[in-house]
Amino acid sequence: MNLILRLFFAIVLLANFSNAQAPKKSSSSDIFLAIQKLNFLGKALYIAAHPDDENTRFISYLSNNIKAETAYLSLTRGDGGQNLIGTELSEYLGVLRTQELLAARRVDGGQQFFSRAKDFGFSKHPKETLKIWDKDLVLSDVVWVIRNFKPDVIINRFDHRTPGTTHGHHTTSAMLSYEAFDLTNDPTAYPDQLNETTTWKPKRLFFNTSSWFYGNQENFEKADKTNLLSVDTGIYYPNLGLSNNEIADIARSQHLCQGFGRLTSRGSETEYIEFLKGDFPKDKSDIFDGINTTWSRIDGGDKIGTLLYDIENNYNFQNPSTHLPKLIEAYKLLQKSTDLEWKKDKSKDLLAIIEAVTGLYLEASATTPTSYPGETIKINIEAINRSNAKITLSSISLSNGNVTISNKNLENNKEINFDLDLKIDEKEQFSNPYWLNEKSTLGTYTVNDQKLIGKAETPNAFNVDFQLNIEGELITITKPLIYRFSKPDKGELYQPFVILPKATATIDDKVIIFSDGNKKTISVILKAHKNNINGEVTLNHSNGWTVDTDSKPFSIAKKGDEQIIDFLVTPPTIENEGFLHPIIKIDGKEISKQLTVIDYDHIPQQSVLMPSETKVVRLAIKKAGQNIGYIVGAGDKVPESLKQIGYTVHIINPMSITTTSLNKYDAIVMGIRAYNVLPELKFKQKNLLEYVENGGTLIVQYNTAGRRNSQFENIAPYDLKLSRDRVTDEYAEVKILKKNSPLVNFPNKITSKDFDGWVQERGLYFPSEWSNEFTPILAMHDEDEPEKSGSLLMAKYGKGYYIYSGLSFFRELPAGITGAYKLFANMISVGKDTIENDEAIKK
């Protein structure tokens, strides 16, 4: 098969799964693969800690080669990481990465589960991880997922025996999996779960090892491989026109916010798994050896298997609908089985195949993307049978219980369209990621509904049941209510249908800095989610802060429109931190939610409702210099934060840099990971260093070490070696090494108290080696570790100053940490104390 054709199949594969809400359009080859998977009754669960930890090669191999029902349990949603494609962080980043994982699973064929654990940032040891996560709670989630999914085989991504050698979350995921393996079959372990599920005994547990875990390839080659199984995951699938590696790379490339877009690869590739527990397979070439994966595994399965194996062995690629009678007969037999778990799973798969072989297309599309409790909306129903099968649409049931009797014959290739009314209940809950509905702890999300734990996303609130008579058998096919629309520049699009409050209130800035005692106008943006709303908005505030009026009226005529209501806020006279909370009142009911829409092409649009609040900070800060040039790296909100304290910030396009173009700036600030993501800096670094040499100040925020494009040779004017050193404890003591340095004296006096209240971490990717020209300013360390002094380095270069900082300003400034603002202002102000601030010094 030539390259163009292979790329075509890859595009088709992605087109089928590029939007979670778009219906899958199955080719004849897709149907055949689904039948092969239907005929394999075995499950595998892959377990790790974060989005991107999963080995997509192995997941795709298990799903598409072995044909096992395969899932990935990521203990966290990756909410503690960074974002290369936007500004979403924390909970919002977790929503984005959840959807990227689901996009990856739609490509490699797996399912997706999560625990309630939060990604609180880098952890150096499982001891810290389990203290913050609450071991018993997260372990219970792992047991719950295993009991519900019921895998025969479990594969850990990391080694449970090596605490302290890698990310604490990584090792912890393996440790919890290792412990859960024995607990899942123990009725005394988490007995309350057994009200909703049953115990389960997995057959065997593996660790997906590689030469990396042995230090190098030479050590790996010498290692005893008695307990290792190996598989070639580079297998080629002619029916798909893709190799397993290509599918895996496409899946991996869904993790765009982590910068994992990659080229596809081909060719043989060996993966190793080390046996840890359970029954060792006699045949080391077969992960499922000794496990009955045939239809004879379940009650009544022999007769079902006779029908379905015959279809697989004699599959009609030209006209798959010829298999419909046997598929219907197999479905009828399956409904009589007493094996409830397999009956549920395989009935769903079998119905999808029946739907596909008949070319049956069923869709329920709302005429509006959003609604609110109490509204009645129109739903467009589309149904078409693209086969010669005798199919009647008997009735349609809506989520509100209404049943429409239609009894419409679905003739071959004749589309039926009609509208229905759906009344949204007044008590209907708003659409939202379920794990964000309650206040979380530092380490875990609060989820009180046991049935939701483990799920990747909130179940659809509105479904439509299509009751069909197919060749004499009554069958129900359920479809989610979606919103379908088109754009001239993008064509047909799908997005989730969501329920929102009648209106939401947002203050754009999540942190507002008052650098003096002057009043500020705070704009509350009201957005209507229904037509003709009237009400009032109140701006609640913390003690010490005052607002010009208690409430103001508003009126918005059209759904989707916005109105800005301004309040005049006066800060306290002394340093203070507080909060503003906009409250909307409509028809006697209060709404305190803000709406954030996460919208990228590679995931379905996400609507996130969170409490509407903005942190306000009265900050007594001094600064020198005014004009800042900012070169955006991987994306952060530092420029907005600097504007908050009165700087004029210009975003610089790296390609436009010349030595003279930089002279107008009092300081140049490099965004986080700029040297990792902007290859053009390799050609512009000389201009930046000339700017410093001529008297400028260059502030370089952290860059990663040990990754692609991680370091240019001339990242600094002198020798500077980045490392993976970091201090993850945000409470770690900070010592000021150079007490006479301008960085801790001018124009703001910095003391150890200025590091109080920092969030998630002190900093990351500190330099480990530097030349004598650099002066280390601070020292800090995590528990039981040696002191690290590379978090903040300054060097004089020519007439100017070069500053490298691994401190996590990209987290601290948007969080409104006063000490972080003062220290950053000092970095910008360095060298200016003898020029424009003589009066400030005297004062």
Side-chain angles (χ1 to χ4, degrees), residues 284-317:
K284 291 179 67 174
S285 67
D286 183 2
I287 297 171
F288 283 85
D289 179 57
I291 301 171
N292 185 0
T293 59
T294 70
W295 277 103
S296 65
R297 179 173 189 167
I298 73 168
D299 167 56
D302 287 326
K303 292 182 179 179
I304 300 170
T306 298
L307 294 165
L308 295 178
Y309 293 135
D310 181 68
I311 294 174
E312 181 181 347
N313 294 330
N314 299 283
Y315 182 69
N316 188 334
F317 281 88

Side-chain angles (χ1 to χ4, degrees), residues 145 167 302 315 533:
V145 169
H167 197 320
D302 287 326
Y315 182 69
I533 59 169

Side-chain angles (χ1 to χ4, degrees), residues 524 526 535-541 547-554 565-568 581-585 590:
V524 177
L526 304 177
E536 61 181 27
V537 59
T538 300
L539 190 60
N540 290 358
H541 54 83
V547 179
D548 60 338
T549 183
D550 290 337
S551 64
K552 292 187 178 183
F554 71 90
I565 304 293
D566 290 334
F567 291 88
L568 196 61
H581 300 271
I583 305 293
I584 299 171
K585 295 180 181 179
E590 291 189 350

Side-chain angles (χ1 to χ4, degrees), residues 80-90 93 96-97 256-259 600 630-641 651-652 654 669-678 681 701-704 761 764 808-814:
Q82 289 92 51
N83 184 357
L84 279 176
I85 62 173
T87 58
E88 293 87 2
L89 290 175
S90 302
L93 181 60
L96 171 56
R97 289 189 173 180
L256 295 182
C257 76
Q258 300 187 70
Y600 294 97
Y630 201 92
I631 299 175
V632 177
D636 57 62
K637 294 185 178 180
V638 173
E640 294 87 341
S641 299
I651 302 300
I652 298 175
V669 180
M670 309 296 289
I672 62 172
R673 297 174 65 179
Y675 290 98
N676 297 136
V677 300
L678 299 174
L681 290 179
Q701 297 183 82
Y702 94 93
N703 285 264
T704 60
E761 63 201 352
L764 60 171
S808 58
F809 287 111
F810 73 102
R811 295 194 192 280
E812 313 313 323
L813 297 184

Side-chain angles (χ1 to χ4, degrees), residues 773-787:
E773 286 84 358
F774 283 103
T775 299
I777 309 299
L778 306 174
M780 59 192 74
H781 65 91
D782 282 320
E783 185 179 1
D784 299 327
E785 289 194 358
E787 194 169 78

Side-chain angles (χ1 to χ4, degrees), residues 445-489:
Y445 286 111
T446 302
V447 181
N448 297 316
D449 186 346
Q450 182 67 47
K451 292 181 180 179
L452 288 175
I453 293 171
K455 292 186 182 298
E457 54 187 345
T458 306
N460 293 310
F462 296 96
N463 294 304
V464 177
D465 291 335
F466 292 81
Q467 286 86 35
L468 302 152
N469 186 314
I470 303 179
E471 297 289 345
E473 179 68 16
L474 291 176
I475 285 175
T476 299
I477 296 177
T478 301
K479 295 293 180 181
L481 180 61
I482 49 83
Y483 175 63
R484 180 167 68 110
F485 63 108
S486 66
K487 287 186 176 181
D489 59 336

Side-chain angles (χ1 to χ4, degrees), residues 600-663:
Y600 294 97
D601 287 344
H602 65 301
I603 64 166
Q605 185 182 97
Q606 299 296 297
S607 298
V608 183
L609 293 169
M610 295 284 281
S612 184
E613 69 174 22
T614 286
K615 184 177 181 180
V616 283
V617 179
R618 170 66 170 96
L619 175 61
I621 189 171
K622 300 174 183 178
K623 58 186 184 359
Q626 181 62 37
N627 295 309
I628 309 299
Y630 201 92
I631 299 175
V632 177
D636 57 62
K637 294 185 178 180
V638 173
E640 294 87 341
S641 299
L642 296 178
K643 291 176 183 178
Q644 289 264 13
I645 55 174
Y647 285 111
T648 302
V649 182
H650 302 270
I651 302 300
I652 298 175
N653 180 347
M655 295 305 295
S656 68
I657 289 176
T658 64
T659 301
T660 56
S661 72
L662 302 179
N663 290 338

